Amino acid sequence: MNIDQDVIDRQDINRPKGEPPRGGWQGAIANYFEFDYYRTNFRTEIVAGVTTFMTMAYILVVNPLILSDAIFLNEPKDLFAELVVATAVSAGIGTLIMGLLAKYPFALAPGMGINAFFAYSVVLGLGIDWRLALACVFVEGLVFILLTVTDIRRHLITAVPTSIKSATTVGIGLFLAYIGLGGATATGGAGLIVANEVTKTNFGSLAQPQSLMAIFGIFLTAFFMVRRIKGALLWGIIGTAILGWVFGVANAPQGFASIPAFPKDLFGAAFIGLGGINGSNWIDFLAVLLVFLFVDMFDTIGTLAGVGMQAGYIDENGELPRANRALTADAIATTAGAVMGTSSVTTFVESASGVAEGGRTGFTSVIVAGLFFISLIFTPIFEAIPAFATTPALTIVGVLMMASITSINWEDLTEAIPAFLTIFFIPFAFSIAAGLSIGLIAYPLLKTFKGKAEDVPIVTWILAAIFIARFIFMTLRFG
């Protein structure tokens, strides 16, 4: 039996009762993405895709805002419009490849955190020309492609113990909720978690209308969820946004469409940066390249492991099927993003919102990619979605991802302590890579303390050593 026929037979077995076989182009799409095998349909996948896009559409504004402080010609933000296009195109390319090649409902875009490191630590802090910094990102993407072809990156995912994978899922859930609840009201965020000099963080003020809107949105979305209304997260976002527009808490869309600006000053700037490497800056180039490699690689591994477990993709051996395809999509996206003129592109944790809506195939990613491309024209509408409107979705997704905490063996401290450290540091260090690093350093050490060092795979030991070396390097190089 050939592969195509095997897929069709699998779908016949798993097709929901009462749903007739599809034909024509719908049947071709459904067969390619194995809708019936994953017990999904067009409506579910489309709603999941729109939901994922809505929860991460903020990147279209936030990424250009951050990068335009460092990437400019004459003054900050003079390339803002081009950065919007670079962000949307790189996200669309990466997500489309993920959907068509790996067939996973994971969306990609320029990563938060790594873009701030690019702008404020590398370009503004070290004084490295932004074109050279883009060259670092471009080379990073090529290295990732090499590591994926040689199967190294897939083995790294397998080397993460099951308890740490579960902890990463929980940590990402808390991270998403923390992002949603902690957005500053000055930029349209919920402001329900605010900075405090004495207690580090504190509960925000209900005198802030953005906070009230976010709270209303959380209960509205929770109502939709408990009533099992399809598209609950998406309707929560739309309902909260409309309410904000009606009451003047957020600016309503100022237009319907606009003509995007081609990034003529950004496109190919990475190649100019490569030509700028010389005897005085090559050490900084390598240092920055290593940091980009580390953060991007383990952010991606953490996200794929965490969201993959939530979606039920991780198999009994702790592996993610088609992992190399997913990692290839990520690597190509980073390389393409650098050519377009933006920082590293990575798999977004907000993909969990689409998974929570039932998205299970790459068609969800195709929808997200399409919306990123469409956003180039309808930017005024997407820009008008306030950050507090996405707070309900991110918070509810955090709740759903907490379920993985029950799969951690809390009776075994060699499993519980590393898992707790992973969960704790992902949101509070504001880094998936940091939480994963600390958990993977603690895991083999605690197994050794208990006399079970032989239970730890050699690759896990290697990862722990890499993480320790990374912390030392970061301390010495960047303080």
Side-chain angles (χ1 to χ4, degrees):
M1 178 179 293
N2 60 45
I3 295 177
D4 291 340
Q5 185 61 48
D6 181 54
V7 168
I8 293 172
D9 288 348
R10 282 202 301 173
Q11 297 195 47
D12 286 339
I13 293 173
N14 290 280
R15 180 176 293 116
K17 292 182 179 179
E19 185 170 323
R22 306 176 187 87
W25 63 269
Q26 288 186 332
I29 293 175
N31 288 337
Y32 182 77
F33 291 107
E34 301 183 68
F35 277 13
D36 295 326
Y37 178 72
Y38 289 105
R39 296 186 179 277
T40 187
N41 53 50
F42 280 99
R43 184 185 185 281
T44 299
E45 296 293 303
I46 291 172
V47 169
V50 175
T51 301
T52 294
F53 175 79
M54 296 293 279
T55 58
M56 62 185 291
Y58 68 86
I59 199 67
L60 292 171
V61 177
V62 176
N63 190 58
L65 280 174
I66 292 174
L67 293 182
S68 60
D69 284 338
I71 297 179
F72 57 86
L73 297 178
N74 301 311
E75 60 182 4
K77 295 183 173 55
D78 62 8
L79 292 178
F80 181 87
E82 292 191 19
L83 283 166
V84 171
V85 176
T87 301
V89 172
S90 60
I93 291 173
T95 305
L96 185 62
I97 295 174
M98 177 68 77
L100 295 178
L101 180 64
K103 300 183 183 180
Y104 282 129
F106 303 149
L108 294 87
M112 287 295 294
I114 195 69
N115 53 9
F117 176 77
F118 178 102
Y120 303 119
S121 295
V122 175
V123 178
L124 299 179
L126 295 178
I128 292 179
D129 183 80
W130 59 269
R131 298 167 186 82
L132 183 61
L134 286 176
C136 286
V137 177
F138 177 73
V139 175
E140 172 209 347
L142 296 179
V143 173
F144 276 164
I145 292 174
L146 178 63
L147 291 177
T148 303
V149 170
T150 55
D151 215 26
I152 293 176
R153 291 181 83 189
R154 183 181 65 83
H155 286 301
L156 292 179
I157 295 179
T158 306
V160 179
T162 301
S163 61
I164 301 298
K165 285 190 176 79
S166 298
T168 301
T169 303
V170 176
I172 289 175
L174 292 174
F175 190 26
L176 286 172
Y178 190 63
I179 290 172
L181 296 169
T185 56
T187 56
L192 291 170
I193 297 176
V194 296
N196 185 291
E197 292 184 1
V198 177
T199 61
K200 305 300 182 185
T201 59
N202 199 4
F203 185 74
S205 171
L206 295 184
Q208 297 293 330
Q210 294 89 346
S211 301
L212 293 175
M213 290 292 106
I215 292 174
F216 170 83
I218 290 172
F219 283 106
L220 176 65
T221 307
F223 170 79
F224 291 151
M225 291 291 292
V226 298
R227 299 296 298 182
R228 298 186 180 278
I229 295 175
K230 283 289 186 180
L233 298 178
L234 176 59
W235 292 123
I237 293 172
I238 294 175
T240 307
I242 292 175
L243 194 68
W245 295 337
V246 170
F247 283 94
V249 181
N251 294 324
Q254 298 301 306
F256 183 71
S258 62
I259 300 175
F262 180 78
K264 58 182 178 61
D265 297 301
L266 296 178
F267 187 79
F271 301 126
I272 298 175
L274 283 174
I277 301 175
N278 54 49
S280 63
N281 62 19
W282 70 271
I283 294 180
D284 282 334
F285 178 85
L286 288 178
V288 172
L289 175 62
L290 288 173
V291 174
F292 280 153
L293 275 170
F294 177 87
V295 176
D296 194 6
M297 177 183 294
F298 292 102
D299 262 1
T300 299
I301 288 175
T303 302
L304 289 178
V307 181
M309 178 164 285
Q310 181 203 8
Y313 294 129
I314 305 297
D315 62 23
E316 63 277 4
N317 298 319
E319 296 186 7
L320 178 71
R322 308 187 304 280
N324 268 356
R325 295 186 184 185
L327 294 170
T328 298
D330 184 86
I332 294 174
T334 291
T335 307
V339 174
M340 290 299 302
T342 186
S343 53
S344 302
V345 176
T346 186
T347 306
F348 257 52
V349 293
E350 282 84 352
S351 303
S353 62
V355 171
E357 282 289 1
R360 288 295 180 273
T361 77
F363 193 67
T364 292
S365 294
V366 172
I367 296 299
V368 178
L371 290 173
F372 269 119
F373 291 130
I374 291 173
S375 70
L376 291 171
I377 300 174
F378 299 105
T379 300
I381 296 177
F382 297 120
E383 284 183 345
I385 301 292
F388 64 74
T390 66
T391 296
L394 296 177
T395 303
I396 298 299
V397 169
V399 173
L400 298 176
M401 297 186 77
M402 284 294 294
S404 292
I405 204 168
T406 59
S407 61
I408 299 171
N409 183 3
W410 294 103
E411 299 298 323
D412 184 351
L413 290 181
T414 65
E415 301 280 340
I417 293 175
F420 173 79
L421 292 174
T422 302
I423 293 170
F424 184 87
F425 279 101
I426 285 178
F428 295 120
F430 216 75
S431 169
I432 298 172
L436 189 59
S437 301
I438 294 170
L440 280 173
I441 290 173
Y443 186 87
L445 290 178
L446 288 168
K447 289 294 183 182
T448 301
F449 295 162
K450 195 175 180 178
K452 293 187 174 181
E454 67 279 1
D455 293 345
V456 181
I458 185 63
V459 181
T460 305
W461 279 105
I462 293 173
L463 276 182
I466 291 174
F467 286 134
I468 292 172
R470 177 259 181 179
F471 281 121
I472 296 174
F473 173 79
M474 288 289 288
T475 300
L476 293 176
R477 191 63 190 171
F478 299 103

